[in-house]
Amino acid sequence: MSTTLYQKIQAFYDSSSGLWEEIWGEHMHHGYYGATGTQKKDRRQAQIDLIEEILQWADVTGVEKLLDVGCGIGGSSLYLSKKFQAQVTGITLSPVQVERAKERAVELGLQCQAEFLVADAQNMPFADNSFDLVWSLESGEHMPDKAKFMQECYRVLKPGGKLILVSWCHRPIDTYPLNTSEQKHLQDIYQVYCLPYVISLPHYIAIANQIGLQNIDSADWSEAVAPFWDIVIDSTFTPKAIFGLLRAGWTTIVGALSLGLMRRGYESGLIRFGLLYGVK
Ligand SMILES: C[S@@+](CC[C@H](N)C(=O)[O-])C[C@H]1O[C@@H](n2cnc3c(N)ncnc32)[C@H](O)[C@@H]1O
């Protein structure tokens, strides 16, 4: 992974995570607003509902050892650790996130069953066959080598273990390739959110087949999650959020000013919210 991208992602999350938690809470991912995105609900509840819907979709009813790849401040890791009494490990590129995730584990009394470390998902410091569940919620879009990332997830899974990967995607390109304006729109999103590029859900499925995952399943939940951006946009223009943005610095301000990029991406069908499931 190039040092520049690594440093950019690290700096982005180091500077923005405190503000995100203050305004939006511990979950740094979309919310779930019903299959057609029409349910009205509290934003944090919608984020928890997304986790629960994913678990149900993937038929996960118990876990002993879980790896959260791209764990943020441990939103999913600690939620899942508590729910399943599971041993969890979370990795992120951001030392600030690791420190906060560790603090949160102590606050929740989960420090004996949760560990967090700075590590690169494309080169993980874990032995083969270590985890029952590898969970990656909205981190795949940051990976410059999607195949290497998925191979690593596969390597550390125990035989019979499950991979759940949920990622920002672009629309499938089997019928029409991306046009110039769509490519420009994606470039703007990459720039703001420190992404090397995104791929389509069929591309993730092709990689899953290549690396040997079994029982592969996939879903496009764009409709269910798209309302999230309107809600984030509304909450950004409150005095508390504006003050926090000024403190967090320029990259975070640009991120906030560009929230409309994602909303328009969903509206046009360019941006998709893809889920992938497979078993080792
Ligand atoms: C949008 S946040 C999602 C956080 C968390 N999954 C959640 O839903 O609350 C993306 C996360 O991916 C992590 N990430 C990005 N690239 C990574 C890499 N190469 N290795 C490990 N983590 C990475 C970031 O540090 C950040 O924690």
Side-chain angles (χ1 to χ4, degrees), residues 170-216:
H170 63 59
R171 67 167 174 79
I173 47 174
D174 37 355
T175 320
Y176 301 104
L178 297 172
N179 64 36
T180 314
S181 123
E182 287 177 316
Q183 282 170 9
K184 163 84 175 63
H185 191 153
L186 286 175
Q187 286 300 334
D188 290 345
I189 289 175
Y190 300 163
Q191 184 73 27
V192 171
Y193 298 107
C194 303
L195 312 180
Y197 59 94
V198 301
I199 59 176
S200 66
L201 186 54
H203 194 161
Y204 273 116
I205 297 167
I207 300 173
N209 277 305
Q210 275 160 22
I211 62 175
L213 275 168
Q214 306 290 314
N215 303 349
I216 296 168

Side-chain angles (χ1 to χ4, degrees), residues 145-166:
D145 186 337
K146 314 288 187 211
K148 179 83 177 79
F149 154 60
M150 288 176 67
Q151 259 157 15
E152 275 293 271
C153 291
Y154 183 84
R155 179 183 68 75
V156 301
L157 266 181
K158 288 181 187 169
K162 295 175 173 178
L163 170 66
I164 296 177
L165 192 168
V166 180

Side-chain angles (χ1 to χ4, degrees), residues 1 9 13 26-29 68-73 75-76 91-94 97 119-122 137-139 141-144:
M1 181 166 187
I9 297 172
Y13 286 108
E26 72 275 31
H27 297 287
M28 308 177 80
H29 56 79
D68 185 359
V69 180
C71 63
I73 58 169
S76 298
I91 63 167
T92 163
L93 293 183
S94 158
Q97 288 188 330
D120 182 0
Q122 296 174 144
L137 181 49
E138 301 188 35
S139 66
E141 56 270 22
H142 283 296
M143 308 297 166

